[in-house]
Amino acid sequence: MGLLFSSCSDWLDVTPVDTRTTENFYTTPSQMEQALIGVYNGLLPLSTYALLMSEVRSDNTWCGELSTAQRDYMDISSFNPNISTIATVRDAWNDLFEIVSRANLFLSKVDGVNYTIEGIKEQQIGEARFLRALAYFDLVRYYGRVPLTLVPQTISEAMSTPQSEAVEIYEKVIIPDLEYAVGSLTEEPKDYLGRKSASGRATLTAAKALLGRVYLTMAGFPLYDETKKELARELLEEVIDYADATGKFWAKNASEWQRMWINENDNKYHIFEIQYIVAKDYGNPMVFHSVPRLPSKYVTLEMSGNSIACAKGLDNLLKEEQDEEGHFLDVRCLATIDTTKFVTDNPNSVTKYAGEDFFIKFLEHKMKREALGYDDINAQIVDRTYFPLNFPLIRLEDVMLMYAEIVGPTSKGVDMVDRIRRRAGIPVLTNAEKEPAAFRECVDKERRRELACEGIRWHDLVRHNNLQAVRDKFQEYAVDANGNVIRPTLLLYIRQIKDGTYLYPIPDSQMKVKEGLYVQNEAYR
């Protein structure tokens, strides 16, 4: 059982319970809280999958062409059909089911524990079910048909549990779990003694926002359940109204938005976020993977050197609004991507890949912190697991734009988009952009700009059944200005984007556990 640390000054300090067994441990509210923190602990690796399995798969990123060195992100980006064996696909499955397993064990024990403070048991159950729903939601979106289990299983039981249809998982676990969470959580979670808990716990608003996202997802491809759209609208509107009434979650101006991406501001703006600190294995793991090798003026630590760049389409969107001198008007541009054409400190190293802009949103490098008035923390980042910035799983801006997508160019729908654009420093919507078709396109563009590198884009493309956007990305890189093919390999990538590749394959390690138990997703058979 791991520890979950909260960022900044609010730390959850829990005694390790590695040596205790399930028979003698889950007996008191204190022990149940430690077990619940263990469920939260399972969230730690999820930021990496948001980067590699959503952003990299989408039209937001450009990863170049496959090289002789095998890299998971390259296989994912190029829609390699033989990715059932790669570590990322396997580890995401295992880590998400680890959350499910820990939540199931917690929920199987909680009824046998006597709680003396009213409401704490219901709150803890709500948190565990929120986390289980969150894990199953990602499992369904990434893999489609997965095993459904709501109780702890023995090995033999697990090896006889087949896959369930995606709609069954939504209706039997994701929706009921989140409905319970909505009914049992509050805006100020308490610990087992009834005191205000450390930051990072699931709240009522987080449960409403996640359930709204689930409903909107179900309303789109591949389920197309239109009955869920109104349910999504109601929940998302409640979240927005609560934020407006309390002043929570909203960075009021561009300067404050830039400071959102500094760890001193963790737990101030995001509705629900994964908690990280400067400590071995408790930092944000995606940061190391998201940037190329950097000169020491950024960070002293040698970064991954991955070629995960900002694709032309998103790059152009972020740079779309410029003044007469060529300065970017959108404050999110230089807070999201680095446009510097640098040379590495080591003359034998490869310089920045093809001059592509790369994502800088989550990297608290020395220059960024100094420019925003924060002390240098470079000396504390001693290896790849020490980056402290929390990772948002649900943001108010995401909720606002989902709401705008549902209600269209109504007065409130337009207001949602205009608020975000006005704060970013770009013009509000024109009358022409308030026409229904144009408005939908504007909402989509705003989601790309506002939520870039946050693991949202791939799921948006799938919901809209828009894999063509990724084909168009490869086409843009494959030909020159005259339409001549200059990168024929990219045309192969286009052919590999089949209808069924909106899902990932069931990991090969799972397919081999028991012959015939699982059926591989069609695009990978």
Side-chain angles (χ1 to χ4, degrees):
M1 189 74 69
L3 306 182
L4 177 68
F5 290 95
S6 174
S7 296
C8 304
S9 59
D10 292 327
W11 289 19
L12 290 176
D13 187 9
V14 183
T15 303
V17 293
D18 304 33
T19 59
R20 300 177 183 176
T21 66
T22 57
E23 287 75 20
N24 63 22
F25 177 65
Y26 296 87
T27 58
T28 68
S30 172
Q31 292 172 348
M32 295 307 296
E33 179 143 318
Q34 292 182 58
L36 181 61
I37 299 308
V39 187
Y40 279 100
N41 177 256
L43 300 174
L44 294 177
L46 298 196
S47 63
T48 297
Y49 308 130
L51 172 70
L52 299 182
M53 297 179 70
S54 180
E55 292 298 322
V56 161
R57 193 77 156 175
S58 78
D59 58 345
N60 272 358
T61 63
W62 170 243
C63 299
E65 300 179 51
L66 282 172
S67 63
T68 54
Q70 193 276 333
R71 297 286 187 92
D72 283 11
Y73 73 90
M74 289 296 303
D75 285 328
I76 290 171
S77 170
S78 63
F79 285 75
N80 185 339
N82 302 309
I83 57 172
S84 64
T85 60
I86 67 173
T88 299
V89 171
R90 178 199 65 216
D91 293 346
W93 174 288
N94 291 341
D95 288 337
L96 289 166
F97 268 114
E98 181 67 24
I99 296 171
V100 170
S101 177
R102 293 180 185 184
N104 284 346
L105 182 57
F106 174 91
L107 292 168
S108 73
K109 299 292 184 178
V110 69
D111 281 341
V113 178
N114 180 36
Y115 285 75
T116 57
I117 299 178
E118 185 177 357
I120 299 301
K121 174 185 282 191
E122 291 73 19
Q123 174 198 295
Q124 290 190 354
I125 293 173
E127 291 180 71
R129 295 187 68 170
F130 172 91
L131 295 169
R132 183 171 66 179
L134 179 67
Y136 261 122
F137 187 38
D138 271 356
L139 283 164
V140 167
R141 292 190 295 174
Y142 286 139
Y143 302 103
R145 299 174 67 248
V146 298
L148 172 60
T149 174
L150 302 180
V151 295
Q153 290 187 312
T154 64
I155 293 176
S156 61
E157 288 171 338
M159 292 183 66
S160 62
T161 302
Q163 296 154 287
S164 293
E165 296 295 332
V167 67
E168 183 180 5
I169 295 168
Y170 277 113
E171 298 292 354
K172 288 189 175 181
V173 57
I174 298 174
I175 291 175
D177 276 359
L178 291 175
E179 287 178 335
Y180 186 95
V182 168
S184 62
L185 296 180
T186 68
E187 299 301 348
E188 295 187 356
K190 301 290 194 298
D191 67 12
Y192 72 98
L193 294 175
R195 305 169 302 191
K196 182 180 178 180
S197 69
S199 301
R201 304 278 281 268
T203 64
L204 173 59
T205 294
K208 288 181 177 180
L210 182 55
L211 184 53
R213 179 186 287 171
V214 166
Y215 283 143
L216 181 59
T217 299
M218 296 180 72
F221 177 83
L223 298 182
Y224 289 124
D225 185 350
E226 284 289 328
T227 66
K228 297 296 192 294
K229 190 169 288 188
E230 178 60 19
L231 297 173
R233 184 201 65 78
E234 292 175 357
L235 285 162
L236 298 174
E237 187 168 44
E238 287 179 18
V239 172
I240 293 165
D241 290 347
Y242 172 77
D244 285 347
T246 60
K248 290 184 175 181
F249 314 124
W250 179 251
K252 63 181 179 295
N253 54 43
S255 176
E256 196 170 338
W257 191 91
Q258 290 174 296
R259 286 169 171 76
M260 185 187 302
W261 310 105
I262 296 291
N263 78 87
E264 280 83 350
N265 296 302
D266 287 345
N267 304 304
K268 292 183 181 179
Y269 300 106
H270 306 326
I271 293 174
F272 186 71
E273 54 196 302
I274 305 175
Q275 307 291 295
Y276 296 108
I277 62 166
V278 181
K280 184 172 178 56
D281 297 327
Y282 289 99
N284 187 335
M286 64 87 68
V287 177
F288 175 81
H289 296 289
S290 65
V291 297
R293 289 187 177 89
L294 298 170
S296 59
K297 66 180 181 179
Y298 288 83
V299 290
T300 304
L301 181 70
E302 183 175 342
M303 303 302 282
S304 68
N306 286 345
S307 298
I308 300 175
C310 182
K312 290 179 182 178
L314 175 58
D315 200 79
N316 292 335
L317 267 181
L318 289 167
K319 298 174 179 177
E320 190 173 47
E321 303 289 345
Q322 301 183 28
D323 63 19
E324 294 179 354
E325 297 178 350
H327 299 126
F328 307 129
L329 296 181
D330 194 331
V331 70
R332 297 168 299 185
C333 179
L334 296 183
T336 301
I337 57 175
D338 190 301
T339 62
T340 306
K341 303 300 183 281
F342 63 76
V343 178
T344 63
D345 291 340
N346 184 348
N348 296 319
S349 296
V350 178
T351 57
K352 190 162 68 130
Y353 38 83
E356 301 286 350
D357 298 334
F358 62 93
F359 293 104
I360 208 74
K361 184 185 260 186
F362 289 96
L363 179 63
E364 294 186 76
H365 60 77
K366 293 186 282 187
M367 294 180 291
K368 177 196 286 191
R369 288 185 62 87
E370 181 180 5
L372 295 176
Y374 293 92
D375 294 335
D376 183 9
I377 62 170
N378 182 70
Q380 301 175 53
I381 311 298
V382 296
D383 79 16
R384 59 193 287 181
T385 70
Y386 276 63
F387 292 100
L389 185 63
N390 285 358
F391 187 81
L393 295 179
I394 308 171
R395 282 214 285 136
L396 176 62
E397 292 84 349
D398 181 17
V399 170
M400 293 165 64
L401 292 169
M402 286 192 289
Y403 178 84
E405 179 181 322
I406 294 170
V407 302
T410 60
S411 59
K412 192 164 184 175
V414 170
D415 180 53
M416 295 296 99
V417 178
D418 280 349
R419 281 195 215 177
I420 293 171
R421 291 171 66 96
R422 191 179 296 114
R423 181 186 61 188
I426 61 177
V428 297
L429 296 172
T430 64
N431 287 332
E433 289 173 324
K434 295 175 186 177
E435 294 299 318
F439 182 76
R440 285 193 295 272
E441 184 177 350
C442 287
V443 171
D444 186 64
K445 287 181 177 179
E446 216 53 52
R447 287 182 67 78
R448 289 189 77 183
R449 284 187 281 230
E450 178 68 28
L451 305 171
C453 208
E454 296 179 39
I456 300 292
R457 181 60 179 171
W458 174 248
H459 300 303
D460 281 354
L461 291 178
V462 171
R463 187 174 75 253
H464 294 136
N465 195 18
N466 185 21
L467 298 191
Q468 185 59 42
V470 189
R471 296 186 183 100
D472 292 344
K473 175 189 73 173
F474 288 127
Q475 182 70 26
E476 184 177 20
Y477 282 96
V479 301
D480 62 18
N482 298 318
N484 300 312
V485 176
I486 56 175
R487 290 175 170 173
T489 303
L490 301 185
L491 301 182
L492 171 63
Y493 297 171
I494 294 173
R495 292 194 292 272
Q496 291 178 167
I497 305 174
K498 302 176 182 179
D499 289 344
T501 52
Y502 75 92
L503 293 174
Y504 283 90
I506 308 301
D508 188 61
S509 57
Q510 296 298 319
M511 294 296 298
K512 291 180 177 178
V513 167
K514 182 180 179 181
E515 191 71 28
L517 179 60
Y518 298 154
V519 176
Q520 183 60 274
N521 289 327
E522 185 173 359
Y524 306 96
R525 294 175 190 170

